[in-house]
Amino acid sequence: MPSLSKDTIYVDIDDEITAIIDKLKSSDKKIVALVLPKRAGVLQSIVNMKLLKRTADDAKKSLVLITSEVGVLPLAGAVGVHVAKTLQSKPAIPLVPSIMDDTLSVDGDEIDDVEVDPTKSVGELTDDDPIEVDNDDKPEVAAGAGVVAASAAKKKKIKIPNFDKFRLKIILGVLALVLIIVGLFVATQVLPKARVVIKTDSSTIDSELKLTVSPKAATVNEEGTVVPGIQKEIKKTDTESVPATGQIDKGEKATGTVRIYNCNQSDKLGDVSRTVPAGTELRASNLVFITTESVTVDPSGFTGSACKFDKPSAAVKVLAQAGGDKYNLAARSDHSYSVAGYSSMSADGSAMAGGTTVITKVVAQKDIDDARQKIQDRGDAARDSLLGDMEAEGTIGLRETFATKGEPVITATPKVNEAGDKVTVSIVSTYTLLGVKKEDLKLLVEKSVEGKYDKSKQVILDNGLDKVRVVLDEKKPNGDAIVTIRAQVLAGPQLDENAIKSEIAGKKKNPGLTAIKARPGIEDAQITYSPFWVSVTPKKTSKITVIFEQSNTDDN
């Protein structure tokens, strides 16, 4: 067991931490005072200080560092090592600066044999003679020295900036600035729109023309009654599938024999025999059997007007019209079979047998008709396609002249009475539409209203062709169409839409309205903006919409 006296160990400036630890371990004293030289860098490392503290704890020794180095004090305080300036000074654990409070800790067992009494000097801890240390030029390290050192360390604490957070803030700031700039541009340049409604002193004139539209005509005739027609056509293939709903018995057909009687009294008088050919239908109980061979039938005798059924034909083979066990009939001797095409003949039959029932889903004619109707109902798509093509070419399509050219080509798979769960019907159709060039119609409509408005004050603002109504009166075999054209022509003061847009662009509402109302023929005007924050007419004329309305509803 180590002695209770102290051991003073001097540390050389060149000693490594391993050498110091060996010196500490080799001591047989309970209290060890390590006298550190000036500028001892070996214990200015928190790792070395921890190792030294752990060695002392493992050896159950109390360790006191004899030093006044400012760089050693906070580290000693962090790991819980006592420090004294001299062997005569009272030891104390220096206070830990706040920057090190939560980051440093020491592992190891606590010393429970002997504790260092902070009220006594290192020399007073035992009866040994005190040893002076040559570091008088340093300030005394006492119980308050650790506090001073810790306070100084706190004051000298430098906060290192987090450059990742700083960079993130810079990036977010730039993005926010870009979004603000883009938002301002959209809000002030893209979204703002103006709608100008101008009420003019104008009048509506009804125009009605009866014309012959002829694809063979090259120009409008002098009377203005025949105009060239533009014939367009489109070939379209449509396909539609519908479930098969038909049923057929694919079972075996019943067979048997019959004997035919001829009860034609006129045949009896002339003793005329008749031949019933193969393929003749015989019917009983609404079931049809077909003869598979021809047979000659002699006329039967009569008692008065009653047939004796005394001369049956030879037995002739018959086959049921369709498969099914319902054709398995019992033998009949009541002449209940009727013979198709021979009203005076009837037949008896043997038992019909061999018929079996195997029901199979097949395509019915109704299924094909349903699919065809669905395709025809989609004919509007072809019409709209032709109308759109004509509109793009400056032609007014006469909707009522839309028709199918010739008979459509129809194919069905599977065919009628063929087995299948569904049937696919394909129809190839050619559609035609007749149209009139807008320029030709404009000329005729405007000519029809001459003399119905004051040319000195008014011009035609709208010839009504955008809402023209066409009635097909007759379609001739040669392709001509006689139609009635109705349009409403708007006459009013001459106004330049582009000039109005340019005049009010960039102005506030009231100055813009004043400029518009100053023009002749304008009775009222309104300007509305969108979105709600817009209060100035956009500078771009493309953002301005001008609509002319008539304030005078009386026709001339």
Side-chain angles (χ1 to χ4, degrees):
M1 179 177 178
S3 170
L4 292 177
S5 60
K6 82 173 189 311
D7 190 6
T8 302
I9 299 175
Y10 290 86
V11 177
D12 294 332
I13 194 167
D14 295 328
D15 283 349
E16 298 292 338
I17 186 62
T18 55
I20 298 173
I21 289 174
D22 289 340
K23 290 179 180 180
L24 179 61
K25 288 181 177 180
S26 63
S27 175
D28 60 353
K29 302 295 192 258
K30 189 67 175 178
I31 299 174
V32 178
L34 287 180
V35 182
L36 304 182
K38 294 179 181 179
R39 297 177 294 279
V42 66
L43 290 180
Q44 294 189 14
S45 164
I46 188 63
V47 175
N48 291 347
M49 190 66 75
K50 284 183 177 183
L51 291 173
L52 190 61
K53 169 64 174 171
R54 182 175 297 169
T55 302
D57 290 347
D58 291 344
K60 305 297 182 180
K61 297 178 181 180
S62 294
L63 178 65
V64 179
L65 300 181
I66 308 303
T67 184
S68 58
E69 290 287 341
V70 176
V72 175
L73 298 180
L75 300 179
V79 299
V81 175
H82 287 77
V83 177
K85 179 187 175 189
T86 67
L87 292 171
Q88 288 74 35
S89 302
K90 294 180 180 180
I93 297 177
L95 294 180
V96 183
S98 60
I99 192 171
M100 302 175 67
D101 285 347
D102 299 325
T103 59
L104 303 176
S105 63
V106 179
D107 298 329
D109 300 329
E110 293 185 357
I111 300 174
D112 52 9
D113 293 336
V114 177
E115 292 186 357
V116 176
D117 187 351
T119 62
K120 297 181 181 181
S121 67
V122 176
E124 294 173 335
L125 294 175
T126 66
D127 295 332
D128 296 340
D129 294 332
I131 299 174
E132 295 293 337
V133 182
D134 186 16
N135 55 1
D136 292 338
D137 57 334
K138 298 295 180 181
E140 184 175 353
V141 180
V147 178
V148 175
S151 300
K154 288 183 179 180
K155 290 181 180 178
K156 293 181 180 180
K157 174 182 173 182
I158 299 175
K159 186 176 180 180
I160 301 175
N162 188 326
F163 288 101
D164 289 337
K165 290 184 178 180
F166 182 71
R167 183 169 59 250
L168 179 60
K169 289 180 180 179
I170 291 289
I171 293 173
L172 292 177
V174 171
L175 289 176
L177 181 60
V178 171
L179 289 176
I180 291 173
I181 294 173
V182 172
L184 288 174
F185 176 78
V186 172
T188 59
Q189 302 297 322
V190 178
L191 296 180
K193 293 180 181 180
R195 184 174 184 269
V196 183
V197 178
I198 300 175
K199 292 186 177 181
T200 64
D201 182 12
S202 56
S203 56
T204 300
I205 308 168
D206 289 331
S207 170
E208 182 172 319
L209 300 170
K210 199 172 190 68
L211 303 174
T212 297
V213 181
S214 175
K216 301 180 182 64
T219 58
V220 179
N221 69 343
E222 294 182 0
E223 294 80 13
T225 56
V226 178
V227 293
I230 308 298
Q231 180 97 21
K232 274 192 171 293
E233 63 180 49
I234 183 173
K235 192 173 185 179
K236 205 168 187 304
T237 300
D238 289 297
T239 301
E240 184 68 42
S241 294
V242 298
T245 61
Q247 287 185 340
I248 192 170
D249 195 334
K250 292 288 187 177
E252 296 295 330
K253 297 179 180 180
T255 60
T257 60
V258 296
R259 292 181 181 276
I260 302 175
Y261 298 88
N262 180 4
C263 289
N264 190 327
Q265 199 165 20
S266 62
D267 289 346
K268 172 61 180 172
L269 295 174
D271 197 19
V272 177
S273 298
R274 293 184 181 272
T275 299
V276 177
T280 301
E281 292 184 357
L282 284 78
R283 185 182 297 271
S285 301
N286 293 323
L287 300 176
V288 177
F289 293 84
I290 301 172
T291 61
T292 60
E293 54 189 350
S294 63
V295 64
T296 299
V297 185
D298 294 330
S300 294
F302 282 82
T303 301
S305 60
C307 183
K308 294 182 179 180
F309 298 101
D310 55 350
K311 292 184 179 181
S313 69
V316 59
K317 294 179 180 180
V318 294
L319 180 67
Q321 185 183 45
D325 55 9
K326 65 181 178 181
Y327 287 90
N328 295 333
L329 302 181
R332 298 191 176 207
S333 57
D334 55 357
H335 320 297
S336 56
Y337 283 95
S338 61
V339 182
Y342 301 92
S343 59
S344 62
M345 290 186 180
S346 60
D348 292 337
S350 68
M352 303 295 173
T356 59
T357 297
V358 180
I359 301 299
T360 303
K361 183 178 286 188
V362 296
V363 174
Q365 182 61 46
K366 178 180 179 299
D367 302 332
I368 296 176
D369 294 340
D370 290 344
R372 178 177 179 178
Q373 185 60 49
K374 287 184 178 181
I375 293 174
Q376 290 175 339
D377 291 342
R378 296 201 297 263
D380 289 349
R383 180 196 61 199
D384 293 341
S385 178
L386 289 172
L387 287 171
D389 292 344
M390 287 189 171
E391 177 68 22
E393 296 172 1
T395 301
I396 297 176
L398 307 180
R399 182 183 295 262
E400 290 78 2
T401 64
F402 177 76
T404 302
K405 182 179 179 181
E407 286 295 323
V409 179
I410 302 174
T411 56
T413 307
K415 296 180 173 59
V416 175
N417 289 333
E418 289 184 352
D421 292 328
K422 66 178 181 179
V423 58
T424 300
V425 177
S426 178
I427 299 181
V428 180
S429 304
T430 301
Y431 301 98
T432 63
L433 185 70
L434 198 59
V436 180
K437 287 184 178 179
K438 189 173 287 188
E439 286 299 317
D440 291 342
L441 205 54
K442 175 178 178 292
L443 176 67
L444 296 175
V445 168
E446 292 183 359
K447 184 177 180 181
S448 69
V449 297
E450 286 184 356
K452 296 183 180 180
Y453 65 96
D454 189 349
K455 285 189 175 182
S456 63
K457 297 179 181 179
Q458 295 178 314
V459 295
I460 293 178
L461 301 177
D462 186 354
N463 51 36
L465 295 183
D466 290 337
K467 297 180 180 179
V468 67
R469 287 173 293 171
V470 181
V471 177
L472 178 63
D473 297 326
E474 181 183 355
K475 193 167 184 180
K476 296 185 176 181
N478 64 356
D480 292 354
I482 299 176
V483 297
T484 299
I485 305 291
R486 295 188 179 94
Q488 287 190 323
V489 181
L490 181 64
Q494 177 69 53
L495 297 173
D496 188 337
E497 179 180 331
N498 291 328
I500 293 174
K501 288 182 179 181
S502 299
E503 188 172 8
I504 65 173
K507 292 183 178 180
K508 290 189 175 181
K509 179 183 288 188
N510 289 337
L513 289 174
T514 301
I516 293 173
K517 292 178 181 179
R519 292 174 172 267
I522 294 179
E523 294 193 352
D524 194 11
Q526 291 181 345
I527 301 177
T528 55
Y529 300 117
S530 64
F532 64 89
W533 61 78
V534 180
S535 60
V536 178
T537 306
K539 292 182 180 180
K540 290 184 178 180
T541 57
S542 60
K543 299 288 185 179
I544 305 173
T545 301
V546 178
I547 299 173
F548 294 103
E549 293 181 353
Q550 66 178 96
S551 58
N552 180 13
T553 57
D554 295 334
D555 294 346
N556 284 352

